[in-house]
Amino acid sequence: MRHIVIVGAGQAGSLLALGLLGEGYRVTVVSDRTAEQIRDGRILSNQCVFEPALAHERSLGLNHWDGEVPPVEGIAFDAGMPGSADPFISWVAPLDNPAQSVDQRVKMSFWLNEFVRRGGELRIGRATPEDLEAYAREADLVLVAAGRGPQFDSVFPRDDKRSTYTQPQRGITLQLVKQDPAAFYQGVTFGLVPGVGEFFVLPVLSVAGPAMGLYFSAVPGSPMDVFDGVTDAEQHLALCQEQLRRFFPWSAPVAERAESGGPLAVLTGRITPIVRHGVGTLPSGQHVLAMGDTAITNDPIGGQGANNAVHCARIYQRLITEHGDRPFDAEFMDRCFEAYWGYARHSTRFNNDLLEPPPVHVLDTLGAAQEFPEVAHRFAHLFNDPTDYEPWLADPETAQAYLREVAERVA
Ligand SMILES: Cc1cc2nc3c(=O)[nH]c(=O)nc-3n(C[C@H](O)[C@H](O)[C@H](O)COP(=O)(O)OP(=O)(O)OC[C@H]3O[C@@H](n4cnc5c(N)ncnc54)[C@H](O)[C@@H]3O)c2cc1C
C-alpha cells in the first residue's frame, strides 16, 4: 500500500488526507495541534467557501454542516467615497448556489477526528524542514500543507516571476461577533472605499453556533489602518463600529447591536501574497510537494485561499490516483503543482487586481451592475469561478465591449 505523509491538517491537508484515505492509501498526517486545540483555539479565517469547492467536500462525505450552516446567499456590493453618507454604487446579486462559512476551528477539528475514525494515522508535532527528510525516506510522497508564513522558505522559495508583491497590501482584522441574523444580509456584504480599503461581513457557523464575521481590509497607512495592537475584544468591536460609522456609514447598522465574540474571536495581521516554487528539494536530494497556502498565499480580499486549498486537494488527489504505482518523482510533483497553478493563477490574478485601485473599466462594470442584473451576477460569480476574470475584466476593451453588448441587448 502506498504511503503518503501530509504535514498540516488545515483546509488543504485534511481534505487531501481524507480523500486519499478513501482511495485506499495509507495516510499519515502530522499536525502541530490536536483536534481539541484547534477547536479551542483562536479563529483562523473568514473561510467563505463557494459552491465548486463545496461540491468536492460533498463528494468526500465531508459536508457535515449542511443542515446547520447559514447559507451565504449572494454578494451585496457597495462602493462609496471617503466621508460620503451613501454609496455611489450599490447592488445585490444572488449566488446560483449558496456558499458557506463554517468556522475552520469547527471544520478542521471535526475533519481531524474523522480522519482518525476512518483509519488515518495522526502524529502530533510541529514538523521542521529537517523533519521532511525522515518523512521522505519512510513515505512514497510527502506533501507540505502547513499554511502561510516563512517556516518552509528554505524548501519552497519565492517564485519571483509569478509573485507580484514583496510587502503586505492590506492591514486585515476580523472579529466573529454575536449578532441577530435578521440584522444583516445573509450573504457576503462587500464594501469598498477607494484609497481606504474594504469591509466584508458574512454569516458564519462558529463554535457556539451562528455568528457574524466582521472583517476590515485597510490600505496600509490609510486612516482605517488602526487595528494593530488592539487585542481586547470589546475595544476591538468598538473600533470596528467606529470605523464602520466613519467609512461605511450605510453599513454601520449591521454591527450596532453586535456583541463581542470574546478574546479568541479576534484576528489581526498582514499577509504578503506569494507564489512559491511548489516542488522542494531537500539537502539529501529528495523532493517534497507544497499545497494550499504553503504553495500560494493570497491576501484574503477575494475570499480565495480556502477555495484554492480545496481545488489543490482535488487536483492533487486526482493526479496521485491516476499515477498508479509509478514513482512520485520530481517530474510528477512538478506536474501536480503546474496543474494547481493552472487553476490558482486565475484566483491569484483576480485577487491581486482587487488589491489595486479599481481601473475605469472595472468601476464602469461595477456601476453597470446596478442597472443590469446579469452584470452583477457575472461579477458575483467570479468568487465562485475566477477563471472568468482574465478573459473578461483583465482586458479593458473586452470589458467595455461586454457592457455595450449587454446595454444594447437589454435596451
Ligand atoms: C482573516 C482571514 C480571512 C480569510 N477569509 C477567507 C475567505 O473568506 N475565503 C477563503 O477562501 N479564504 C479565506 N482566507 C484564507 C484561508 O483561510 C486560507 O487560505 C486557508 O485556510 C489555507 O488553507 P491551508 O490548509 O493551506 O492552510 P491552513 O488553513 O493555515 O492550515 C495549515 C495547518 O497546518 C498546521 N501547521 C502549521 N505548521 C505546521 C507544522 N510545522 N507542522 C505541523 N502542522 C503545522 C496548522 O496548525 C494548520 O492546522 C482567510 C484568511 C484570513 C487570515
Side-chain angles (χ1 to χ4, degrees):
M1 190 191 285
R2 305 204 92 182
H3 182 202
I4 315 281
V5 169
I6 301 174
V7 173
Q11 179 73 57
S14 285
L15 201 54
L16 182 63
L18 281 151
L20 290 175
L21 210 53
E23 301 272 6
Y25 290 78
R26 177 183 162 205
V27 186
T28 302
V29 164
V30 183
S31 171
D32 60 351
R33 290 180 303 158
T34 64
E36 292 65 34
Q37 286 167 336
I38 293 171
R39 196 181 163 91
D40 297 342
R42 181 172 297 281
I43 54 164
L44 299 158
S45 178
N46 229 356
Q47 69 266 310
C48 189
V49 177
F50 294 90
E51 169 60 21
L54 293 175
H56 180 61
E57 295 181 357
R58 231 178 274 133
S59 74
L60 299 178
L62 296 170
N63 50 324
H64 186 68
W65 303 273
D66 274 359
E68 239 182 308
V69 58
V72 176
E73 288 166 356
I75 308 285
F77 178 81
D78 302 299
M81 294 314 287
S84 64
D86 294 305
F88 63 91
I89 298 175
S90 181
W91 50 259
V92 180
L95 288 167
D96 292 342
N97 295 288
Q100 290 181 1
S101 173
V102 178
D103 187 330
Q104 285 189 343
R105 296 174 299 176
V106 173
K107 195 175 194 176
M108 298 316 147
S109 57
F110 182 88
W111 282 1
L112 200 50
N113 286 330
E114 185 66 7
F115 170 71
V116 173
R117 198 187 66 76
R118 294 186 188 185
E121 183 199 346
L122 174 62
R123 295 183 197 163
I124 300 297
R126 189 168 175 80
T128 63
E130 295 69 40
D131 293 333
L132 300 180
E133 294 279 12
Y135 301 146
R137 276 195 300 276
E138 73 169 291
D140 296 288
L141 175 64
V142 176
L143 296 117
V144 183
R148 65 179 181 273
Q151 54 173 328
F152 290 98
D153 268 359
S154 60
V155 184
F156 306 110
R158 180 177 194 269
D159 184 333
D160 295 332
K161 289 206 190 79
R162 289 175 173 173
S163 300
T164 305
Y165 302 107
T166 53
Q167 299 290 327
Q169 299 300 302
R170 292 291 186 272
I172 62 179
T173 198
L174 169 67
Q175 182 166 172
L176 278 191
V177 297
K178 295 176 208 156
Q179 178 60 302
D180 177 357
F184 66 107
Y185 173 56
Q186 294 293 291
V188 177
T189 298
F190 174 0
L192 167 70
V193 174
V196 170
E198 299 78 22
F199 156 72
F200 296 88
V201 71
L202 86 172
V204 178
L205 179 67
S206 190
V207 283
M212 182 175 91
L214 201 52
Y215 179 95
F216 291 82
S217 154
V219 172
S222 79
M224 200 171 77
D225 190 13
V226 293
F227 288 94
D228 285 351
V230 183
T231 52
D232 179 87
E234 301 286 345
Q235 279 175 19
H236 183 270
L237 176 57
L239 191 57
C240 289
Q241 290 163 333
E242 189 186 310
Q243 298 306 303
L244 265 180
R245 285 183 218 116
R246 182 168 174 201
F247 294 109
F248 304 90
W250 54 88
S251 278
V254 303
E256 284 305 336
R257 269 181 286 279
E259 285 173 46
S260 160
L264 294 174
V266 178
L267 188 67
T268 300
R270 285 163 205 264
I271 294 174
T272 302
I274 184 168
V275 181
R276 296 176 183 277
H277 291 283
V279 181
T281 305
L282 303 176
S284 64
Q286 303 183 96
H287 296 100
V288 292
L289 177 59
M291 63 182 305
D293 270 10
T294 302
I296 298 165
T297 305
N298 284 318
D299 182 280
I301 192 168
Q304 295 296 306
N307 291 273
N308 276 351
V310 176
H311 290 295
C312 185
R314 175 180 61 76
I315 290 165
Y316 283 9
Q317 182 182 330
R318 178 175 58 76
L319 291 173
I320 289 168
T321 50
E322 282 175 4
H323 202 60
D325 290 334
R326 284 170 286 166
F328 295 122
D329 53 16
E331 185 272 327
F332 167 78
M333 293 184 197
D334 195 51
R335 205 146 44 79
C336 288
F337 181 67
E338 288 306 315
Y340 173 41
W341 175 243
Y343 173 82
R345 73 181 183 84
H346 296 285
S347 52
T348 301
R349 173 76 200 267
F350 171 48
N351 209 82
N352 287 349
D353 282 5
L354 284 173
L355 292 167
E356 299 298 328
V360 170
H361 68 281
V362 172
L363 282 175
D364 287 350
T365 301
L366 291 167
Q370 283 190 133
E371 200 181 336
F372 303 112
E374 78 166 76
V375 178
H377 176 271
R378 189 170 177 189
F379 191 89
H381 284 78
L382 288 173
F383 293 90
N384 266 40
D385 177 13
T387 64
D388 188 33
Y389 179 79
E390 219 167 27
W392 172 30
L393 278 175
D395 177 42
E397 284 304 311
T398 309
Q400 297 291 10
Y402 170 68
L403 295 185
R404 283 194 299 275
E405 187 268 314
V406 173
E408 278 166 25
R409 185 157 36 79
V410 174

